[in-house]
Amino acid sequence: MKHFEIAVYGLGIMGSSLAKNLVGKGFSTALFGKSLEEKERFQTKGDFAIFPSEEEMVNALKRPRVIFMMVTAGKAVDEVIHTLVPLLEEGDILIDGGNSHFRDTQRRYHMLLKKGIEFLGVGVSGGERGALRGPSMMVGGSKKAWDSCGTILQKIAARIGDEYCCNYLDKEGAGHYVKMVHNGIEYAMIQLIADYYSVMKKGLGLSHSEIAELFAHWKNTELNSYLIEITAAVLAKKDEDGEPLVEKILDVAQQKGTGSWALEEAIAKGVYTPTICEAVFTRNFSQDVQLRKKGAQVLKATINVVQLEGYEEKLRNALYLSMIISYAQGIALIEKASREYGWEIDLPLAVSLWREGCIIRSELLKDIVKALKESGKNILLSQSFGDLEKGEKALRKISAKAIEAGIAVPTLLSVISYYDSCRTEKMNVNIVQGLRDCFGAHTYERTDKEGIFHTAWMEGEE
Ligand code: 6PG
């Protein structure tokens, strides 16, 4: 019996793309899929076989067996693990390449460890194209498994120069955590692009083709990134009648939930991520079509077109700073979580995995990795981006113009709030503390003396 190097379980879109990538890179690959249609559809040149049962697939693998599960996150992953475990032996490796919640990965990692199975939770980014040509892969879980099969994963991953965008981050759910934060940043950046589009279209009154041209131009500037590139493509696409297709897309956003997970984690860890927050809530709020419809009548949807001199440069500078700030929020979350979960995620390494293959890849990440290496965790305070003042001035101006125009651009406004919060040495929460003590005797600390204080604030109180 032939001994295959690796197996892929699940031949859906992502599974079959990843399997083709493996076969294409010369790995003999055993495959298993439940759907007959998916099995029939799978075609590629190279050394692979599709097995009719899980058992036959497992028995065809050389040891330690390596099985890459590409099944929908959630219950299905537990079911597949449940089926496979009795067929495996100590030291065999299971990899979950779906968008699993990191807490599920933690649980599975510990459960499988007890059974002697080495488990890797791998955040795979880049969609179908990425899985086929080289995704970014954020790996967490068993170090032993990584040492044994990491080179296979790196060979099918995206690369930047001779660096692989696939590496081991730490034990348990560290890989899926970083992928979750990647998605939080993805939500933030996508909504920022939409907010800037609103400023251009509704606020400045630019035509669709003027906006499409700007995004196309920005691909060749410091904004160069996958999301800007695909925005240019989406805006350029015409419907059969010659009209921009995007204008005909219903304005109700869907989501699979990973952005919300990132936000929930940010709240749990007390990390300020207002842009991720606004991006998640904008998608949620877009669902309430009736409210918006009525609101447009009752609250009078008048928009004032405004003038903005030198708008191209201002928009570009502001969007650049907005992107830095989106990354900054996500990175701060990874940093705090890594400490609290007892991981040692190397931040420059984690961020460097996003430089190719994934959805949030951008030219800017090169400087962010440099900033993290040079000045630690807060990239906004680093000098690596040169002068942020240009971006700040532009952002302030555009935010003010958006408010003046009367358009909703919550992520855009969250960015200037984040920036201003970061440079506020003395915050106003002394008032919060005073009020808490006044109504609830919650006590406060002072700037001029040590200790915990309570005051009788109201007349007649003791
Ligand atoms: C990736 C993406 C991907 C995600 C989609 C859809 O890195 O390839 O993050 O994993 O599932 O972007 O996400 P939503 O449906 O939540 O927008």
Side-chain angles (χ1 to χ4, degrees):
M1 159 92 54
K2 181 157 185 171
H3 285 245
F4 287 86
E5 285 163 280
I6 189 164
V8 175
Y9 188 117
L11 292 175
I13 293 174
M14 289 296 280
S16 59
S17 301
L18 204 87
K20 284 176 192 166
N21 186 349
L22 280 161
V23 175
K25 293 279 167 15
F27 295 107
S28 58
T29 310
L31 304 173
F32 178 81
K34 284 213 160 128
S35 139
L36 187 66
E37 198 196 321
E38 283 172 0
K39 284 194 265 194
E40 281 172 359
R41 209 183 320 129
F42 189 89
Q43 274 179 9
T44 193
K45 281 201 189 100
D47 187 6
F48 74 91
I50 303 180
F51 290 86
S53 72
E54 286 97 333
E55 194 168 0
E56 284 160 277
M57 176 196 77
V58 168
N59 290 336
L61 289 168
K62 74 179 186 197
R63 296 200 183 119
R65 301 176 177 98
V66 183
I67 303 176
F68 210 132
M69 297 182 291
M70 290 301 284
V71 292
T72 313
K75 237 175 63 196
V77 180
D78 289 313
E79 284 165 9
V80 173
I81 292 176
H82 186 74
T83 310
L84 291 176
V85 166
L87 309 172
L88 300 176
E89 287 171 18
E90 223 176 287
D92 285 346
I93 298 168
L94 274 182
I95 305 173
D96 173 17
N99 260 335
S100 290
H101 195 289
F102 79 99
R103 284 194 195 284
D104 285 332
T105 305
Q106 312 268 75
R107 171 176 59 75
R108 289 165 188 149
Y109 169 86
H110 288 291
M111 183 271 287
L112 289 165
L113 201 64
K114 283 193 202 128
K115 298 181 190 290
I117 307 294
E118 307 297 327
F119 185 60
L120 288 177
V122 180
V124 178
S125 176
E128 185 184 354
R129 260 174 288 175
L132 186 64
R133 293 188 207 146
S136 155
M137 289 196 264
M138 296 143 254
V139 185
S142 156
K143 178 73 169 53
K144 201 169 148 200
W146 170 254
D147 289 339
S148 159
C149 71
T151 49
I152 304 184
L153 301 189
Q154 288 189 324
K155 282 210 179 103
I156 60 162
R159 271 196 212 189
I160 182 109
D162 50 16
E163 275 175 51
Y164 297 108
C165 295
C166 168
N167 220 320
Y168 179 76
L169 295 168
D170 209 339
K171 60 182 184 290
E172 302 173 328
H176 274 138
Y177 198 95
V178 172
K179 175 62 178 31
M180 173 192 77
V181 175
H182 164 286
N183 282 31
I185 298 171
E186 175 185 306
Y187 276 47
M189 287 186 165
I190 292 175
Q191 193 56 48
L192 274 166
I193 288 172
D195 282 359
Y196 277 88
Y197 175 83
S198 282
V199 169
M200 292 185 247
K201 190 174 164 67
K202 296 183 182 170
L204 302 177
L206 302 186
S207 70
H208 184 87
S209 57
E210 281 173 316
I211 302 171
E213 271 167 36
L214 275 185
F215 275 98
H217 165 61
W218 287 344
K219 288 191 292 184
N220 307 314
T221 68
E222 69 276 21
L223 289 180
N224 180 22
S225 57
Y226 177 65
L227 285 171
I228 293 292
E229 185 189 321
I230 61 170
T231 304
V234 166
L235 294 180
K237 194 80 183 167
K238 299 267 163 50
D239 200 6
E240 282 155 4
D241 60 4
E243 293 298 312
L245 178 58
V246 77
E247 298 289 351
K248 297 184 182 174
I249 297 181
L250 185 71
D251 57 339
V252 175
Q254 305 297 333
Q255 57 188 308
K256 296 198 190 73
T258 45
S260 305
W261 296 349
L263 179 59
E264 283 161 20
E265 263 296 295
I267 293 168
K269 298 280 165 296
V271 179
Y272 184 43
T273 57
T275 313
I276 297 174
C277 175
E278 292 294 6
V280 169
F281 278 118
T282 300
R283 289 200 195 185
N284 295 342
F285 189 69
S286 74
Q287 300 278 336
D288 203 339
V289 179
Q290 288 313 319
L291 182 141
R292 291 190 281 128
K293 201 170 167 191
K294 192 151 185 218
Q297 292 160 3
V298 178
L299 305 175
K300 299 188 186 54
T302 48
I303 287 169
N304 318 305
V305 173
V306 291
Q307 299 298 317
L308 180 63
E309 209 182 297
Y311 62 82
E312 189 280 325
E313 197 188 348
K314 288 198 175 72
L315 289 165
R316 181 163 39 81
N317 290 337
L319 185 50
Y320 183 66
L321 180 56
S322 303
M323 281 182 158
I324 296 175
I325 288 176
S326 306
Y327 286 123
Q329 293 173 26
I331 292 166
L333 178 55
I334 296 174
E335 194 276 327
K336 185 111 186 252
S338 177
R339 263 188 291 134
E340 293 200 357
Y341 290 117
W343 301 328
E344 284 175 21
I345 296 180
D346 177 334
L347 286 181
L349 175 71
V351 172
S352 71
L353 305 184
W354 297 340
R355 288 194 57 206
E356 253 311 325
C358 72
I359 307 296
I360 62 169
R361 63 186 184 255
S362 72
E363 205 145 311
L364 170 58
L365 281 168
K366 186 174 164 211
D367 289 334
I368 293 188
V369 173
K370 194 163 149 245
L372 285 168
K373 282 186 183 156
E374 281 169 6
S375 33
K377 54 191 188 191
N378 198 323
I379 57 168
L380 202 57
L381 307 187
S382 124
Q383 302 296 306
S384 306
F385 308 103
D387 195 0
L388 290 182
E389 212 179 305
K390 251 187 344 192
E392 182 213 334
K393 279 196 179 130
L395 187 54
R396 206 171 290 290
K397 189 122 227 148
I398 291 165
S399 302
K401 289 284 177 192
I403 291 173
E404 193 187 326
I407 52 178
V409 283
T411 54
L412 178 56
L413 300 183
S414 78
V415 169
I416 192 69
S417 289
Y418 185 88
Y419 187 93
D420 282 339
S421 296
C422 285
R423 62 186 198 117
T424 303
E425 191 176 343
K426 187 159 171 31
M427 288 179 74
N428 56 16
V429 292
N430 48 330
I431 307 288
V432 174
Q433 288 295 81
L435 295 176
R436 289 178 69 247
D437 190 53
C438 176
F439 68 68
H442 293 300
T443 73
Y444 59 92
E445 289 176 276
R446 296 178 59 116
T447 55
D448 55 350
K449 328 183 205 179
E450 289 287 312
I452 304 290
F453 297 88
H454 168 61
T455 298
W457 296 92
M458 308 293 274
E459 259 174 57
E461 258 183 359
E462 301 216 340

